[in-house]
Amino acid sequence: MSSFVHTTVLLEETVTALCPRDGGRYIDCTLGGAGHSERLLQRSEPGGQLLALDQDETALRHAEDKLRPYGDRVQLVHANFRRIREVVRELEFGPVDGVMFDLGVSSPQFDEADRGFSYRFDAPLDMRMDQTQPTTARDMVNGLDEAELIRIFTRYGEEKFSKSIARRIVHRRAVAPIETTGELAELIKEAIPAPARRTGPHPARRVFQALRIAVNDELGALEEALDGAFEVLKPGGRLAVITFHSLEDRIVKHQFQQWARGCTCPPDFPVCQCGNVPQATIVTRKPIVPSAAEEIENPRSRSAKLRVVEKR
C-alpha cells in the first residue's frame, strides 16, 4: 500500500467560506486526505469541533494519524455521506455551523492501481470507494444488459459513442468475462472511430467516469446528502460544495436555487398564495474556481467549482 498523498483543492476558499470560529461545530463529509479537516480545526481553535465522514477506510486510517494532535475535537466515521442525518443524530452532534463536501475521487484512489479506478494502470475492475460494498465495476460490465450499459455511459459519462461501446463489451464478454481496466480501456478504444481518438482526452475517460459514478451511486448519494446537510445546519450555518464535473454541479446549483427560491405564484397574482419563503441565501452567485497558480501546481483542480449557501 502506497502512502496516502492528496493535494487539497480550493483549501483556503472553502474553509474561509464556512466562517470557522472558536466553539463552532463543522462537518467534513469527504475527509479524503484531511486537508480541509485539518484547516477547519486550526481555524476554529481552541474549542471548535469537527465530525468527518469517509467511506474509504484507507483515508480514515491516514486521517487518524494526521489529526491525532487535535484529540477529542475531531470524530472520524466510516460512512457514506448520504447517512449524514443518521450519523449526526447518533453522535448528538447537531445542529452545526458548517458542512462541506469535496466531491469526486481522491488522488490516492486514482493513483493506486489495485483500486481499479484508472485506465492508466492494468488492474482488476473495481472502482468501489467503500470496499465493503458488494458491487464492483467488473460486476456491472459483465452483468448489465446492453441497454443499461448504454444508459449509464450516456447519462453519467455523456459519451456519444455509448451504443458502439456497449455493443463491443457485450460481444467480448460472451467469449470471456472482462476482468481488468486494461481490457476495458482497449475495448473502448476499439469501439470509437479513429478520428475521434486522435483529439481530446483519453477515449476511455468518459466511460470510466460513468462506471465509477454508477458503482458508487454518486449522484443519488449527493442528492440525499445535500438534503441531510441542510437539515442539520443551524440558521446562519453554511454549506460549501466543491464539484468536479457538470453532472454534480448541476445538482448542487439546482438544489441551492430551490432553497433560495421564495414565492412560486404566477407573476400576475397580486398577492402571494403559495406562502413559500426562501430557506437560504446563495453566497456565491458564480462558483469560485481555482487560481491560475493552483491549476499549475495541481492540474486535477482545473475542473473544480465551489458553491456556497447560507441557511436562513
Side-chain angles (χ1 to χ4, degrees), residues 26-84:
Y26 306 93
I27 303 176
D28 184 349
C29 289
T30 47
L31 175 63
H36 289 112
S37 285
E38 183 173 46
R39 191 57 55 90
L40 276 168
L41 287 163
Q42 292 169 346
R43 296 274 298 272
S44 63
E45 288 178 335
Q49 298 287 317
L50 177 77
L51 172 63
L53 283 59
D54 207 293
Q55 57 185 334
D56 187 331
E57 292 177 304
T58 303
L60 287 164
R61 287 193 295 270
H62 162 79
E64 189 173 1
D65 289 335
K66 184 171 184 175
L67 302 180
R68 186 169 285 117
Y70 300 96
D72 60 5
R73 290 181 58 208
V74 58
Q75 299 181 69
L76 306 182
V77 178
H78 178 226
N80 187 298
F81 52 47
R82 72 195 318 158
R83 293 184 56 237
I84 182 172

Side-chain angles (χ1 to χ4, degrees), residues 79-222:
N80 187 298
F81 52 47
R82 72 195 318 158
R83 293 184 56 237
I84 182 172
R85 285 188 191 91
E86 180 184 343
V87 173
V88 167
R89 186 169 56 248
E90 289 173 355
L91 298 178
E92 299 181 345
F93 194 76
V96 302
D97 298 276
V99 182
M100 65 147 295
F101 294 80
D102 178 3
L103 302 174
V105 182
S106 64
S107 298
Q109 289 169 333
F110 270 126
D111 294 338
E112 290 183 10
D114 61 359
R115 298 299 298 270
F117 283 99
S118 179
Y119 42 76
R120 295 186 293 117
F121 309 107
D122 189 22
L125 271 171
D126 192 325
M127 299 194 188
R128 294 172 299 169
M129 293 183 182
D130 180 354
Q131 292 186 298
T132 66
Q133 76 174 50
T135 303
T136 66
R138 181 196 181 282
D139 297 328
M140 288 191 169
V141 167
N142 291 289
L144 297 178
D145 62 29
E146 185 173 331
E148 182 62 8
L149 288 173
I150 292 170
R151 187 191 72 82
I152 288 172
F153 299 160
T154 302
R155 183 182 178 194
Y156 300 147
E158 301 176 299
E159 173 56 70
K160 61 183 177 180
F161 299 108
S162 293
K163 290 183 180 179
S164 59
I165 294 169
R167 191 177 306 119
R168 184 67 62 103
I169 287 172
V170 170
H171 288 168
R172 181 66 62 86
R173 76 190 191 192
V175 178
I178 300 164
E179 302 283 355
T180 71
T181 54
E183 290 178 68
L184 180 59
E186 190 59 35
L187 279 176
I188 294 166
K189 284 201 294 186
E190 292 170 1
I192 294 177
R197 298 199 305 262
R198 295 191 190 110
T199 59
H202 193 286
R205 183 180 69 86
R206 292 185 182 89
V207 169
F208 271 62
Q209 172 185 293
L211 280 171
R212 190 201 80 220
I213 290 172
V215 167
N216 298 286
D217 188 25
E218 291 179 30
L219 302 187
L222 175 59

